[in-house]
Amino acid sequence: MKYKFDELMEDAFRPIPAGDRVNKRLVNEMNGKRQAIPLRRAHAVKRAAVAAAFVIAVCGGVTVADAATGGHIRKALYSFFESESYRNGEKVNVDTYVDDQGRYTLEKGQKELVNELNENWDEGRPEWSDDADAHSTGFSTFISGEDDATVIKSSEDSAIITFSYTYKNGENSSRGEYILGGYPDRFDEEDWEWSMRSELVCGYYEIADAGERACFLSELEKLPEKVQKPYAKRAIRKAIHDCRSGDVIAIDFYPITAEQAGVASEDPKDFVDQAWFLVKDSELKFKNGKSEIVKKSAAGYDMTAKLTIKKDAKYHVDTMEAVSG
Amino acid sequence: MTSQFLQEIIEQYGDHIFGFCCYLTGSRPLAEDLYQEVFLTALEKKKRHRFSEAARTDADRRREGKNYLIGMAVRLWKNERRRAAKKQEPSIDEMAERGVFPADETDMEDAYIDREKRENVRRAISQLPDKLRLVMNMHYSAEMSVAEIARELHIPEGTVKSRMHKARIEIKKGLKVMGYEI
């Protein structure tokens, strides 16, 4: 059979739709609409999505909410990847923690948010402790109630929870940041779940130096069995090895497949890692209807917090402060 | 360029520009980054884009705008590659595996044959040197004429023509080896 050259070329180079998600974000950004994750940051975030599991292992979880008391952040809530259920890949222990006195100075609706989270998350409150031994896995957190500032600020149509941290290991330190949020334009009933899935939990991790890389790699070995699927491990290793001092390793919890992530996998259609699901599910595991609860819980709040993680014998979070409000 | 104008370009040429980015980067995530970066950079440019005299209608201006964005994509990608110390080009198989290319939606058997043919063609294209591949990408995926490519790449039209000519010969040669009759 004889082919026409131009037809072959046109077929090979046919247009590829960018898709609604990409275009919508782009148009929003061009129109100056606030994005939960600005595009340029999202670019960075996307690049090393595979490091997600790693950071989870290092940092021990995802902050979900916070409460302010008298302008102070008293305690924050955490999900820990410390339980057997997490290690079995079932769910993430996410909970809220409010001031230990049970006091609130929350704005209207914020208390409701925290209560709702408390009621609807599967696991009970974690036992807060500054004693690392309390947490058998070594991923212990304690957040001191230093500093001021209001953590939560309201917004009519969005929910963003952000926190950043500094991870210290001896002389080295890194910074990371998680952003939990959704796009304002996606806060409608139908889209919300999708938005949560794809955008809710993101973060990046800044690598300080080679020593730290080595440390991370050793942490990698401690990852739960499921995370240590060969391809995930390779991907994480690659992400860590590829970075240079000062680079940002991005962490992305997009539910993307191995092939989308450009990660070698025995099954390219498989998701990059169970960790993807773990984190994703941590946001979607509401018992009484995922999207409903998420939407109800999250609507109307912005939240930004910052915390520091230090490493000594065990990991723990020692301070937390609001960075905006 | 204004947001409004860029949105019009997205509507009319978004798929072409994104396709171009996909073929250029060989990766859908990278293409998404590049695609978005191109528009944002164009939006942020303080210097107003000057359309040629030939661009008299809105449609002409959109087409020129598209070409301008394609040229910008090339420059941004070159910068990115320089920055990343020239990452290894993905093979056509890797690109296919990564889901860079759109899925076939036609009859299974036809789709299979078409896909095989398409992949072979892409394989032949992937063997081209960068310069030759770029002009082919611009010509076919971004639907740019020789003059438009020359303008965006800041090279003479004759150079574009000769690159395209060489590319054609090479691709045909490659396809012939695979048993295709052109």
PDB file of all heavy atoms in Angstrom, chain A residues 3 6 11-12 14 16-18 21 23 31 40 43 46 259-260, chain B residues 3 7 15 23 29 32-33 35-37 44 97 118 122 140 168 181:
ATOM      1  N   TYR A   3       1.494   5.160   0.622  1.00  0.00           N
ATOM      2  CA  TYR A   3       1.013   6.231   1.504  1.00  0.00           C
ATOM      3  C   TYR A   3       1.460   7.593   1.002  1.00  0.00           C
ATOM      4  O   TYR A   3       2.499   7.716   0.365  1.00  0.00           O
ATOM      5  CB  TYR A   3       1.576   6.040   2.917  1.00  0.00           C
ATOM      6  CG  TYR A   3       1.056   4.812   3.608  1.00  0.00           C
ATOM      7  CD1 TYR A   3       1.818   3.637   3.638  1.00  0.00           C
ATOM      8  CD2 TYR A   3      -0.192   4.815   4.233  1.00  0.00           C
ATOM      9  CE1 TYR A   3       1.337   2.504   4.274  1.00  0.00           C
ATOM     10  CE2 TYR A   3      -0.672   3.683   4.878  1.00  0.00           C
ATOM     11  CZ  TYR A   3       0.096   2.531   4.893  1.00  0.00           C
ATOM     12  OH  TYR A   3      -0.377   1.413   5.515  1.00  0.00           O
ATOM     13  N   ASP A   6       2.497  13.483   3.273  1.00  0.00           N
ATOM     14  CA  ASP A   6       1.886  14.524   4.114  1.00  0.00           C
ATOM     15  C   ASP A   6       0.815  13.958   5.041  1.00  0.00           C
ATOM     16  O   ASP A   6       0.677  14.388   6.180  1.00  0.00           O
ATOM     17  CB  ASP A   6       1.285  15.636   3.249  1.00  0.00           C
ATOM     18  CG  ASP A   6       2.359  16.630   2.824  1.00  0.00           C
ATOM     19  OD1 ASP A   6       3.449  16.609   3.429  1.00  0.00           O
ATOM     20  OD2 ASP A   6       2.120  17.399   1.883  1.00  0.00           O
ATOM     21  N   ASP A  11      -0.943  12.755  10.402  1.00  0.00           N
ATOM     22  CA  ASP A  11      -1.458  11.785  11.361  1.00  0.00           C
ATOM     23  C   ASP A  11      -0.513  11.652  12.564  1.00  0.00           C
ATOM     24  O   ASP A  11      -0.949  11.600  13.719  1.00  0.00           O
ATOM     25  CB  ASP A  11      -1.629  10.434  10.663  1.00  0.00           C
ATOM     26  CG  ASP A  11      -2.292   9.425  11.580  1.00  0.00           C
ATOM     27  OD1 ASP A  11      -3.257   9.814  12.267  1.00  0.00           O
ATOM     28  OD2 ASP A  11      -1.844   8.266  11.626  1.00  0.00           O
ATOM     29  N   ALA A  12       0.749  11.601  12.249  1.00  0.00           N
ATOM     30  CA  ALA A  12       1.738  11.439  13.331  1.00  0.00           C
ATOM     31  C   ALA A  12       1.788  12.670  14.231  1.00  0.00           C
ATOM     32  O   ALA A  12       2.047  12.569  15.426  1.00  0.00           O
ATOM     33  CB  ALA A  12       3.118  11.173  12.743  1.00  0.00           C
ATOM     34  N   ARG A  14      -0.711  14.805  14.835  1.00  0.00           N
ATOM     35  CA  ARG A  14      -2.054  15.362  14.995  1.00  0.00           C
ATOM     36  C   ARG A  14      -2.161  16.128  16.326  1.00  0.00           C
ATOM     37  O   ARG A  14      -1.433  15.839  17.287  1.00  0.00           O
ATOM     38  CB  ARG A  14      -3.106  14.268  14.915  1.00  0.00           C
ATOM     39  CG  ARG A  14      -2.934  13.169  15.921  1.00  0.00           C
ATOM     40  CD  ARG A  14      -3.814  12.006  15.570  1.00  0.00           C
ATOM     41  NE  ARG A  14      -3.567  10.913  16.494  1.00  0.00           N
ATOM     42  CZ  ARG A  14      -4.491  10.061  16.862  1.00  0.00           C
ATOM     43  NH1 ARG A  14      -5.703  10.162  16.390  1.00  0.00           N
ATOM     44  NH2 ARG A  14      -4.200   9.080  17.682  1.00  0.00           N
ATOM     45  N   ILE A  16      -3.167  17.435  19.934  1.00  0.00           N
ATOM     46  CA  ILE A  16      -3.472  16.720  21.174  1.00  0.00           C
ATOM     47  C   ILE A  16      -4.183  17.682  22.121  1.00  0.00           C
ATOM     48  O   ILE A  16      -3.647  18.747  22.433  1.00  0.00           O
ATOM     49  CB  ILE A  16      -2.178  16.207  21.846  1.00  0.00           C
ATOM     50  CG1 ILE A  16      -1.433  15.262  20.902  1.00  0.00           C
ATOM     51  CG2 ILE A  16      -2.493  15.510  23.163  1.00  0.00           C
ATOM     52  CD1 ILE A  16      -0.088  14.777  21.438  1.00  0.00           C
ATOM     53  N   PRO A  17      -5.354  17.334  22.542  1.00  0.00           N
ATOM     54  CA  PRO A  17      -6.054  18.254  23.468  1.00  0.00           C
ATOM     55  C   PRO A  17      -5.330  18.351  24.808  1.00  0.00           C
ATOM     56  O   PRO A  17      -4.871  17.341  25.343  1.00  0.00           O
ATOM     57  CB  PRO A  17      -7.425  17.586  23.659  1.00  0.00           C
ATOM     58  CG  PRO A  17      -7.511  16.516  22.637  1.00  0.00           C
ATOM     59  CD  PRO A  17      -6.124  16.134  22.244  1.00  0.00           C
ATOM     60  N   ALA A  18      -5.256  19.549  25.293  1.00  0.00           N
ATOM     61  CA  ALA A  18      -4.618  19.741  26.599  1.00  0.00           C
ATOM     62  C   ALA A  18      -5.550  19.271  27.702  1.00  0.00           C
ATOM     63  O   ALA A  18      -5.125  18.884  28.773  1.00  0.00           O
ATOM     64  CB  ALA A  18      -4.269  21.210  26.803  1.00  0.00           C
ATOM     65  N   ARG A  21      -8.912  20.373  32.363  1.00  0.00           N
ATOM     66  CA  ARG A  21      -8.238  20.702  33.628  1.00  0.00           C
ATOM     67  C   ARG A  21      -7.103  21.688  33.387  1.00  0.00           C
ATOM     68  O   ARG A  21      -6.997  22.719  34.047  1.00  0.00           O
ATOM     69  CB  ARG A  21      -7.672  19.427  34.269  1.00  0.00           C
ATOM     70  CG  ARG A  21      -6.917  19.671  35.552  1.00  0.00           C
ATOM     71  CD  ARG A  21      -6.369  18.361  36.109  1.00  0.00           C
ATOM     72  NE  ARG A  21      -5.398  17.723  35.237  1.00  0.00           N
ATOM     73  CZ  ARG A  21      -4.107  18.045  35.201  1.00  0.00           C
ATOM     74  NH1 ARG A  21      -3.645  18.995  35.971  1.00  0.00           N
ATOM     75  NH2 ARG A  21      -3.281  17.424  34.381  1.00  0.00           N
ATOM     76  N   ASN A  23      -6.508  23.583  30.694  1.00  0.00           N
ATOM     77  CA  ASN A  23      -6.941  24.862  30.129  1.00  0.00           C
ATOM     78  C   ASN A  23      -7.667  25.729  31.147  1.00  0.00           C
ATOM     79  O   ASN A  23      -7.486  26.942  31.191  1.00  0.00           O
ATOM     80  CB  ASN A  23      -7.845  24.620  28.925  1.00  0.00           C
ATOM     81  CG  ASN A  23      -7.038  24.320  27.676  1.00  0.00           C
ATOM     82  OD1 ASN A  23      -5.880  24.754  27.557  1.00  0.00           O
ATOM     83  ND2 ASN A  23      -7.583  23.560  26.762  1.00  0.00           N
ATOM     84  N   ASN A  31      -6.494  35.048  34.186  1.00  0.00           N
ATOM     85  CA  ASN A  31      -7.474  36.051  34.581  1.00  0.00           C
ATOM     86  C   ASN A  31      -7.251  36.567  35.993  1.00  0.00           C
ATOM     87  O   ASN A  31      -8.077  37.285  36.541  1.00  0.00           O
ATOM     88  CB  ASN A  31      -8.891  35.469  34.466  1.00  0.00           C
ATOM     89  CG  ASN A  31      -9.308  35.350  33.020  1.00  0.00           C
ATOM     90  OD1 ASN A  31      -8.786  36.049  32.151  1.00  0.00           O
ATOM     91  ND2 ASN A  31     -10.196  34.436  32.737  1.00  0.00           N
ATOM     92  N   ARG A  40       2.905  27.991  38.476  1.00  0.00           N
ATOM     93  CA  ARG A  40       4.346  27.770  38.411  1.00  0.00           C
ATOM     94  C   ARG A  40       4.817  26.894  39.557  1.00  0.00           C
ATOM     95  O   ARG A  40       5.731  26.122  39.423  1.00  0.00           O
ATOM     96  CB  ARG A  40       5.093  29.093  38.396  1.00  0.00           C
ATOM     97  CG  ARG A  40       4.953  29.771  37.055  1.00  0.00           C
ATOM     98  CD  ARG A  40       5.950  30.884  36.898  1.00  0.00           C
ATOM     99  NE  ARG A  40       6.002  31.315  35.524  1.00  0.00           N
ATOM    100  CZ  ARG A  40       5.339  32.362  35.054  1.00  0.00           C
ATOM    101  NH1 ARG A  40       4.566  33.055  35.840  1.00  0.00           N
ATOM    102  NH2 ARG A  40       5.437  32.690  33.787  1.00  0.00           N
ATOM    103  N   HIS A  43       3.938  23.430  38.720  1.00  0.00           N
ATOM    104  CA  HIS A  43       4.920  22.790  37.844  1.00  0.00           C
ATOM    105  C   HIS A  43       5.978  22.083  38.673  1.00  0.00           C
ATOM    106  O   HIS A  43       6.316  20.936  38.429  1.00  0.00           O
ATOM    107  CB  HIS A  43       5.629  23.826  36.972  1.00  0.00           C
ATOM    108  CG  HIS A  43       4.701  24.518  36.042  1.00  0.00           C
ATOM    109  ND1 HIS A  43       5.085  25.577  35.266  1.00  0.00           N
ATOM    110  CD2 HIS A  43       3.410  24.314  35.752  1.00  0.00           C
ATOM    111  CE1 HIS A  43       4.055  25.985  34.552  1.00  0.00           C
ATOM    112  NE2 HIS A  43       3.031  25.242  34.833  1.00  0.00           N
ATOM    113  N   LYS A  46       4.676  19.115  40.431  1.00  0.00           N
ATOM    114  CA  LYS A  46       4.458  17.932  39.624  1.00  0.00           C
ATOM    115  C   LYS A  46       5.716  17.124  39.385  1.00  0.00           C
ATOM    116  O   LYS A  46       5.684  15.921  39.273  1.00  0.00           O
ATOM    117  CB  LYS A  46       3.884  18.352  38.263  1.00  0.00           C
ATOM    118  CG  LYS A  46       2.379  18.390  38.277  1.00  0.00           C
ATOM    119  CD  LYS A  46       1.836  18.384  36.900  1.00  0.00           C
ATOM    120  CE  LYS A  46       2.025  19.724  36.243  1.00  0.00           C
ATOM    121  NZ  LYS A  46       1.374  19.841  34.957  1.00  0.00           N
ATOM    122  N   GLU A 259       2.877   5.641  34.194  1.00  0.00           N
ATOM    123  CA  GLU A 259       3.271   6.139  32.883  1.00  0.00           C
ATOM    124  C   GLU A 259       3.121   7.653  32.796  1.00  0.00           C
ATOM    125  O   GLU A 259       3.918   8.341  32.193  1.00  0.00           O
ATOM    126  CB  GLU A 259       2.488   5.457  31.768  1.00  0.00           C
ATOM    127  CG  GLU A 259       1.004   5.744  31.794  1.00  0.00           C
ATOM    128  CD  GLU A 259       0.261   5.036  30.680  1.00  0.00           C
ATOM    129  OE1 GLU A 259       0.928   4.454  29.821  1.00  0.00           O
ATOM    130  OE2 GLU A 259      -0.978   5.067  30.685  1.00  0.00           O
ATOM    131  N   GLN A 260       2.097   8.155  33.446  1.00  0.00           N
ATOM    132  CA  GLN A 260       1.933   9.607  33.447  1.00  0.00           C
ATOM    133  C   GLN A 260       3.070  10.285  34.197  1.00  0.00           C
ATOM    134  O   GLN A 260       3.490  11.384  33.856  1.00  0.00           O
ATOM    135  CB  GLN A 260       0.606   9.987  34.098  1.00  0.00           C
ATOM    136  CG  GLN A 260      -0.584   9.682  33.223  1.00  0.00           C
ATOM    137  CD  GLN A 260      -1.884   9.846  33.971  1.00  0.00           C
ATOM    138  OE1 GLN A 260      -1.991   9.538  35.153  1.00  0.00           O
ATOM    139  NE2 GLN A 260      -2.888  10.348  33.278  1.00  0.00           N
TER     140      GLN A 260
ATOM    141  N   SER B   3      -5.130  38.700  28.153  1.00  0.00           N
ATOM    142  CA  SER B   3      -5.697  37.419  28.575  1.00  0.00           C
ATOM    143  C   SER B   3      -6.807  37.000  27.608  1.00  0.00           C
ATOM    144  O   SER B   3      -6.918  35.840  27.223  1.00  0.00           O
ATOM    145  CB  SER B   3      -6.232  37.567  29.992  1.00  0.00           C
ATOM    146  OG  SER B   3      -6.979  36.461  30.338  1.00  0.00           O
ATOM    147  N   GLN B   7      -6.872  33.664  25.421  1.00  0.00           N
ATOM    148  CA  GLN B   7      -7.954  32.680  25.556  1.00  0.00           C
ATOM    149  C   GLN B   7      -8.554  32.322  24.204  1.00  0.00           C
ATOM    150  O   GLN B   7      -8.941  31.188  23.961  1.00  0.00           O
ATOM    151  CB  GLN B   7      -9.041  33.220  26.473  1.00  0.00           C
ATOM    152  CG  GLN B   7      -8.658  33.127  27.941  1.00  0.00           C
ATOM    153  CD  GLN B   7      -9.696  33.765  28.837  1.00  0.00           C
ATOM    154  OE1 GLN B   7     -10.865  33.447  28.783  1.00  0.00           O
ATOM    155  NE2 GLN B   7      -9.264  34.687  29.660  1.00  0.00           N
ATOM    156  N   ASP B  15      -5.212  22.932  21.061  1.00  0.00           N
ATOM    157  CA  ASP B  15      -4.818  21.539  20.808  1.00  0.00           C
ATOM    158  C   ASP B  15      -3.539  21.469  19.967  1.00  0.00           C
ATOM    159  O   ASP B  15      -2.709  20.581  20.154  1.00  0.00           O
ATOM    160  CB  ASP B  15      -5.927  20.785  20.071  1.00  0.00           C
ATOM    161  CG  ASP B  15      -7.161  20.629  20.948  1.00  0.00           C
ATOM    162  OD1 ASP B  15      -7.118  21.075  22.107  1.00  0.00           O
ATOM    163  OD2 ASP B  15      -8.162  20.070  20.459  1.00  0.00           O
ATOM    164  N   TYR B  23       4.952  16.820  21.399  1.00  0.00           N
ATOM    165  CA  TYR B  23       5.946  16.252  20.485  1.00  0.00           C
ATOM    166  C   TYR B  23       7.339  16.819  20.771  1.00  0.00           C
ATOM    167  O   TYR B  23       8.341  16.164  20.554  1.00  0.00           O
ATOM    168  CB  TYR B  23       5.548  16.526  19.027  1.00  0.00           C
ATOM    169  CG  TYR B  23       4.218  15.905  18.673  1.00  0.00           C
ATOM    170  CD1 TYR B  23       3.169  16.669  18.191  1.00  0.00           C
ATOM    171  CD2 TYR B  23       4.006  14.537  18.837  1.00  0.00           C
ATOM    172  CE1 TYR B  23       1.943  16.108  17.892  1.00  0.00           C
ATOM    173  CE2 TYR B  23       2.775  13.959  18.540  1.00  0.00           C
ATOM    174  CZ  TYR B  23       1.749  14.754  18.068  1.00  0.00           C
ATOM    175  OH  TYR B  23       0.539  14.181  17.781  1.00  0.00           O
ATOM    176  N   PRO B  29       3.340  15.472  31.065  1.00  0.00           N
ATOM    177  CA  PRO B  29       3.486  16.437  32.174  1.00  0.00           C
ATOM    178  C   PRO B  29       4.386  17.620  31.809  1.00  0.00           C
ATOM    179  O   PRO B  29       4.087  18.767  32.143  1.00  0.00           O
ATOM    180  CB  PRO B  29       4.120  15.609  33.292  1.00  0.00           C
ATOM    181  CG  PRO B  29       3.744  14.206  32.990  1.00  0.00           C
ATOM    182  CD  PRO B  29       3.687  14.110  31.507  1.00  0.00           C
ATOM    183  N   GLU B  32       2.498  19.874  29.559  1.00  0.00           N
ATOM    184  CA  GLU B  32       1.533  20.708  30.296  1.00  0.00           C
ATOM    185  C   GLU B  32       2.241  21.914  30.909  1.00  0.00           C
ATOM    186  O   GLU B  32       1.749  23.037  30.856  1.00  0.00           O
ATOM    187  CB  GLU B  32       0.861  19.894  31.413  1.00  0.00           C
ATOM    188  CG  GLU B  32      -0.190  18.938  30.893  1.00  0.00           C
ATOM    189  CD  GLU B  32      -0.867  18.145  32.003  1.00  0.00           C
ATOM    190  OE1 GLU B  32      -0.655  18.473  33.186  1.00  0.00           O
ATOM    191  OE2 GLU B  32      -1.599  17.199  31.673  1.00  0.00           O
ATOM    192  N   ASP B  33       3.380  21.653  31.472  1.00  0.00           N
ATOM    193  CA  ASP B  33       4.149  22.752  32.067  1.00  0.00           C
ATOM    194  C   ASP B  33       4.515  23.784  31.010  1.00  0.00           C
ATOM    195  O   ASP B  33       4.338  24.992  31.196  1.00  0.00           O
ATOM    196  CB  ASP B  33       5.457  22.229  32.675  1.00  0.00           C
ATOM    197  CG  ASP B  33       5.201  21.474  33.967  1.00  0.00           C
ATOM    198  OD1 ASP B  33       4.039  21.423  34.387  1.00  0.00           O
ATOM    199  OD2 ASP B  33       6.162  20.943  34.536  1.00  0.00           O
ATOM    200  N   TYR B  35       3.300  24.290  28.024  1.00  0.00           N
ATOM    201  CA  TYR B  35       2.108  24.898  27.441  1.00  0.00           C
ATOM    202  C   TYR B  35       1.615  26.054  28.323  1.00  0.00           C
ATOM    203  O   TYR B  35       1.361  27.168  27.856  1.00  0.00           O
ATOM    204  CB  TYR B  35       1.055  23.794  27.337  1.00  0.00           C
ATOM    205  CG  TYR B  35      -0.335  24.184  26.917  1.00  0.00           C
ATOM    206  CD1 TYR B  35      -0.622  24.473  25.587  1.00  0.00           C
ATOM    207  CD2 TYR B  35      -1.381  24.213  27.838  1.00  0.00           C
ATOM    208  CE1 TYR B  35      -1.923  24.781  25.198  1.00  0.00           C
ATOM    209  CE2 TYR B  35      -2.670  24.519  27.457  1.00  0.00           C
ATOM    210  CZ  TYR B  35      -2.934  24.801  26.139  1.00  0.00           C
ATOM    211  OH  TYR B  35      -4.214  25.108  25.760  1.00  0.00           O
ATOM    212  N   GLN B  36       1.527  25.788  29.601  1.00  0.00           N
ATOM    213  CA  GLN B  36       1.044  26.825  30.506  1.00  0.00           C
ATOM    214  C   GLN B  36       2.057  27.956  30.651  1.00  0.00           C
ATOM    215  O   GLN B  36       1.703  29.129  30.695  1.00  0.00           O
ATOM    216  CB  GLN B  36       0.737  26.203  31.875  1.00  0.00           C
ATOM    217  CG  GLN B  36      -0.435  25.244  31.798  1.00  0.00           C
ATOM    218  CD  GLN B  36      -0.625  24.429  33.061  1.00  0.00           C
ATOM    219  OE1 GLN B  36       0.311  24.190  33.812  1.00  0.00           O
ATOM    220  NE2 GLN B  36      -1.838  23.983  33.295  1.00  0.00           N
ATOM    221  N   GLU B  37       3.309  27.566  30.691  1.00  0.00           N
ATOM    222  CA  GLU B  37       4.368  28.565  30.840  1.00  0.00           C
ATOM    223  C   GLU B  37       4.374  29.521  29.648  1.00  0.00           C
ATOM    224  O   GLU B  37       4.575  30.728  29.805  1.00  0.00           O
ATOM    225  CB  GLU B  37       5.723  27.849  30.958  1.00  0.00           C
ATOM    226  CG  GLU B  37       6.887  28.751  31.333  1.00  0.00           C
ATOM    227  CD  GLU B  37       6.772  29.322  32.742  1.00  0.00           C
ATOM    228  OE1 GLU B  37       6.158  28.664  33.594  1.00  0.00           O
ATOM    229  OE2 GLU B  37       7.268  30.429  32.961  1.00  0.00           O
ATOM    230  N   GLU B  44       2.708  37.987  30.542  1.00  0.00           N
ATOM    231  CA  GLU B  44       3.512  38.859  31.397  1.00  0.00           C
ATOM    232  C   GLU B  44       4.464  39.762  30.608  1.00  0.00           C
ATOM    233  O   GLU B  44       5.045  40.682  31.176  1.00  0.00           O
ATOM    234  CB  GLU B  44       4.342  38.004  32.366  1.00  0.00           C
ATOM    235  CG  GLU B  44       3.480  37.393  33.458  1.00  0.00           C
ATOM    236  CD  GLU B  44       4.190  36.294  34.213  1.00  0.00           C
ATOM    237  OE1 GLU B  44       5.345  35.970  33.849  1.00  0.00           O
ATOM    238  OE2 GLU B  44       3.589  35.744  35.143  1.00  0.00           O
ATOM    239  N   GLU B  97       4.497   4.979  25.684  1.00  0.00           N
ATOM    240  CA  GLU B  97       4.203   4.360  26.982  1.00  0.00           C
ATOM    241  C   GLU B  97       3.745   5.387  28.007  1.00  0.00           C
ATOM    242  O   GLU B  97       2.945   5.101  28.880  1.00  0.00           O
ATOM    243  CB  GLU B  97       5.458   3.662  27.523  1.00  0.00           C
ATOM    244  CG  GLU B  97       5.607   2.247  27.025  1.00  0.00           C
ATOM    245  CD  GLU B  97       6.922   1.641  27.470  1.00  0.00           C
ATOM    246  OE1 GLU B  97       7.467   2.100  28.471  1.00  0.00           O
ATOM    247  OE2 GLU B  97       7.399   0.730  26.780  1.00  0.00           O
ATOM    248  N   ARG B 118       1.329   4.792  12.797  1.00  0.00           N
ATOM    249  CA  ARG B 118       1.655   6.091  13.384  1.00  0.00           C
ATOM    250  C   ARG B 118       2.928   6.021  14.226  1.00  0.00           C
ATOM    251  O   ARG B 118       3.782   6.886  14.168  1.00  0.00           O
ATOM    252  CB  ARG B 118       0.479   6.542  14.264  1.00  0.00           C
ATOM    253  CG  ARG B 118       0.483   7.994  14.613  1.00  0.00           C
ATOM    254  CD  ARG B 118      -0.780   8.360  15.365  1.00  0.00           C
ATOM    255  NE  ARG B 118      -1.977   8.123  14.584  1.00  0.00           N
ATOM    256  CZ  ARG B 118      -3.002   7.361  14.963  1.00  0.00           C
ATOM    257  NH1 ARG B 118      -2.978   6.761  16.121  1.00  0.00           N
ATOM    258  NH2 ARG B 118      -4.048   7.209  14.183  1.00  0.00           N
ATOM    259  N   ARG B 122       6.336   7.964  13.717  1.00  0.00           N
ATOM    260  CA  ARG B 122       6.937   8.749  14.799  1.00  0.00           C
ATOM    261  C   ARG B 122       8.345   8.258  15.125  1.00  0.00           C
ATOM    262  O   ARG B 122       9.213   9.034  15.487  1.00  0.00           O
ATOM    263  CB  ARG B 122       6.053   8.690  16.044  1.00  0.00           C
ATOM    264  CG  ARG B 122       4.808   9.541  15.901  1.00  0.00           C
ATOM    265  CD  ARG B 122       3.879   9.355  17.064  1.00  0.00           C
ATOM    266  NE  ARG B 122       2.705  10.225  16.935  1.00  0.00           N
ATOM    267  CZ  ARG B 122       1.545   9.981  17.510  1.00  0.00           C
ATOM    268  NH1 ARG B 122       1.389   8.918  18.255  1.00  0.00           N
ATOM    269  NH2 ARG B 122       0.535  10.815  17.349  1.00  0.00           N
ATOM    270  N   TYR B 140       3.895  20.515  10.858  1.00  0.00           N
ATOM    271  CA  TYR B 140       2.747  19.610  10.867  1.00  0.00           C
ATOM    272  C   TYR B 140       1.879  19.723  12.110  1.00  0.00           C
ATOM    273  O   TYR B 140       0.655  19.682  12.010  1.00  0.00           O
ATOM    274  CB  TYR B 140       3.221  18.164  10.675  1.00  0.00           C
ATOM    275  CG  TYR B 140       3.666  17.916   9.249  1.00  0.00           C
ATOM    276  CD1 TYR B 140       5.013  17.836   8.923  1.00  0.00           C
ATOM    277  CD2 TYR B 140       2.728  17.785   8.228  1.00  0.00           C
ATOM    278  CE1 TYR B 140       5.428  17.629   7.621  1.00  0.00           C
ATOM    279  CE2 TYR B 140       3.137  17.578   6.910  1.00  0.00           C
ATOM    280  CZ  TYR B 140       4.480  17.500   6.612  1.00  0.00           C
ATOM    281  OH  TYR B 140       4.877  17.306   5.321  1.00  0.00           O
ATOM    282  N   ARG B 168      12.377  15.135   5.203  1.00  0.00           N
ATOM    283  CA  ARG B 168      11.535  14.267   4.377  1.00  0.00           C
ATOM    284  C   ARG B 168      12.315  13.074   3.864  1.00  0.00           C
ATOM    285  O   ARG B 168      11.857  11.933   3.909  1.00  0.00           O
ATOM    286  CB  ARG B 168      10.998  15.047   3.161  1.00  0.00           C
ATOM    287  CG  ARG B 168       9.840  15.938   3.481  1.00  0.00           C
ATOM    288  CD  ARG B 168       9.564  16.899   2.339  1.00  0.00           C
ATOM    289  NE  ARG B 168       8.337  17.618   2.559  1.00  0.00           N
ATOM    290  CZ  ARG B 168       7.156  17.218   2.111  1.00  0.00           C
ATOM    291  NH1 ARG B 168       7.042  16.144   1.366  1.00  0.00           N
ATOM    292  NH2 ARG B 168       6.066  17.906   2.386  1.00  0.00           N
ATOM    293  N   GLU B 181       5.665   2.049   1.663  1.00  0.00           N
ATOM    294  CA  GLU B 181       5.876   2.621   0.344  1.00  0.00           C
ATOM    295  C   GLU B 181       5.278   4.030   0.332  1.00  0.00           C
ATOM    296  O   GLU B 181       4.100   4.216   0.639  1.00  0.00           O
ATOM    297  CB  GLU B 181       5.145   1.760  -0.694  1.00  0.00           C
ATOM    298  CG  GLU B 181       5.678   1.921  -2.105  1.00  0.00           C
ATOM    299  CD  GLU B 181       4.864   1.074  -3.083  1.00  0.00           C
ATOM    300  OE1 GLU B 181       4.255   0.092  -2.635  1.00  0.00           O
ATOM    301  OE2 GLU B 181       4.833   1.416  -4.261  1.00  0.00           O
TER     302      GLU B 181
END
